Amino acid sequence: MDPRLRIIDKRLKNIKTMIAISGGKGGIGKSLVASTLSLILSKLGYKVGLLDLDFCGPSTHIVLGIRGIYPKEEKGIIPPEIYGIKFMSIIYYAGDNPSPLRGIDISNAIIELLAITRWGPLDFLIIDVPPGIGDTTLDIIRLMKKTGFLIITTQSKVVLETVNKVLRMLKELGVPIIGVIENMKISKISFVKEQSKTFNVPFLGEIDFDEDLEDSIGDINKLLKTNFAQNMREIVLSTDKFKLRKEL
């Protein structure tokens, strides 16, 4: 048995809630949701960590405008803290280079990153994962026990078809599903909400298409003022999973 697996359990034991942000396709705003959710939870006074495991294209550091801060080595790796968020990303190891890993190599990279990262006590750890069903998603389910999945989708029939497969897999594996969020909503059609009902999965809310969102990338002050962030905040405040009793 890999001794690192026992270390992973130790590293994660003081994290109250772990949430993986997943979706059917790339380009649906998954990383934006992960980054903005982390910011909102931090602003609400929670201890938050953000882990970018999107080997396909890590981008939370771009959304948050994170530059020039790096992890520290001290009996492992201590994530840097910015905007009240402890941040860790594979970008610190791969840089701007592509990460053409597959199979066992992906698993080894994830195991190593989880084993060396010292998060300390957290209320929430938000995990940005690659789209669809792949090795990273399966490894998160295997290694980060009790992680709940938050599914991001759009009205696109192509995206919804893949989201349905993700939901079906999570259900079959008995993985907790926090709910579904519809992003980039451009019409009043409630097709996504109806699809959620067929899987008996909570529909958490809608995020309207925001023309000003792209201009806010890299500037958290602008980002938090967007309609996107306001919609996201409403979802957070109305969802029980995001309401933890804070220590006095």
Side-chain angles (χ1 to χ4, degrees):
M1 180 178 177
D2 191 330
R4 294 176 298 176
L5 300 182
R6 290 194 296 271
I7 298 175
I8 289 173
D9 291 337
K10 181 179 178 181
R11 299 297 195 204
L12 301 177
K13 73 176 182 178
N14 291 321
I15 300 174
K16 294 179 182 177
T17 302
M18 294 185 288
I19 300 175
I21 311 299
S22 183
K25 293 284 185 179
I28 60 174
K30 181 176 51 61
S31 296
L32 270 162
V33 168
S35 302
T36 307
L37 175 59
S38 298
L39 282 171
I40 291 170
L41 290 171
S42 176
K43 293 289 185 182
L44 290 173
Y46 293 110
K47 295 178 181 178
V48 181
L50 174 59
L51 174 60
D52 195 333
L53 285 181
D54 191 344
F55 285 82
C56 298
S59 57
T60 52
H61 65 291
I62 297 174
V63 175
L64 297 175
I66 295 177
R67 305 180 190 86
I69 64 167
Y70 301 94
K72 296 180 180 179
E73 291 189 30
E74 186 179 331
K75 297 180 180 178
I77 299 295
I78 300 176
E81 186 169 332
I82 186 168
Y83 315 128
I85 300 168
K86 291 184 178 182
F87 180 75
M88 180 57 71
S89 171
I90 61 169
I91 199 73
Y92 286 130
Y93 301 94
D96 293 325
N97 301 311
S99 303
L101 303 177
R102 63 182 184 180
I104 191 65
D105 294 326
I106 290 178
S107 293
N108 274 327
I110 293 174
I111 289 172
E112 184 67 18
L113 188 58
L114 294 178
I116 64 175
T117 304
R118 297 177 57 194
W119 292 103
L122 290 177
D123 294 311
F124 292 96
L125 177 59
I126 308 302
I127 309 146
D128 187 12
V129 302
I133 305 167
D135 292 311
T136 304
T137 299
L138 294 174
D139 278 329
I140 288 172
I141 294 170
R142 177 173 66 98
L143 300 169
M144 306 181 76
K145 303 172 183 67
K146 298 182 181 179
T147 296
F149 275 69
L150 177 59
I151 307 300
I152 312 302
T153 186
T154 68
Q155 290 180 331
S156 165
K157 293 181 180 179
V158 175
V159 175
L160 276 172
E161 179 62 27
T162 309
V163 164
N164 287 344
K165 292 178 181 177
V166 173
L167 289 173
R168 191 174 296 114
M169 180 198 73
L170 294 176
K171 283 277 190 178
E172 289 175 356
L173 294 175
V175 177
I177 302 173
I178 295 169
V180 173
I181 293 176
E182 180 181 352
N183 192 23
M184 299 188 230
K185 190 172 181 65
I186 56 176
S187 73
K188 295 181 179 180
I189 299 173
S190 58
F191 187 62
V192 174
K193 187 175 183 179
E194 295 303 316
Q195 286 287 94
S196 300
K197 289 180 180 178
T198 64
F199 284 94
N200 195 27
V201 172
F203 180 74
L204 302 185
E206 303 164 345
I207 300 176
D208 296 326
F209 179 77
D210 189 343
E211 294 181 352
D212 300 322
L213 183 59
E214 185 64 28
D215 187 52
S216 72
I217 301 299
D219 185 331
I220 69 156
N221 293 318
K222 284 186 178 180
L223 177 60
L224 288 172
K225 292 177 182 177
T226 61
N227 291 331
F228 174 91
Q230 294 304 312
N231 289 164
M232 192 70 228
R233 190 173 189 275
E234 290 170 6
I235 291 172
V236 169
L237 293 177
S238 62
T239 302
D240 288 340
K241 191 65 176 181
F242 299 125
K243 298 174 184 176
L244 294 182
R245 182 178 179 182
K246 287 176 270 190
E247 300 293 336
L248 298 177

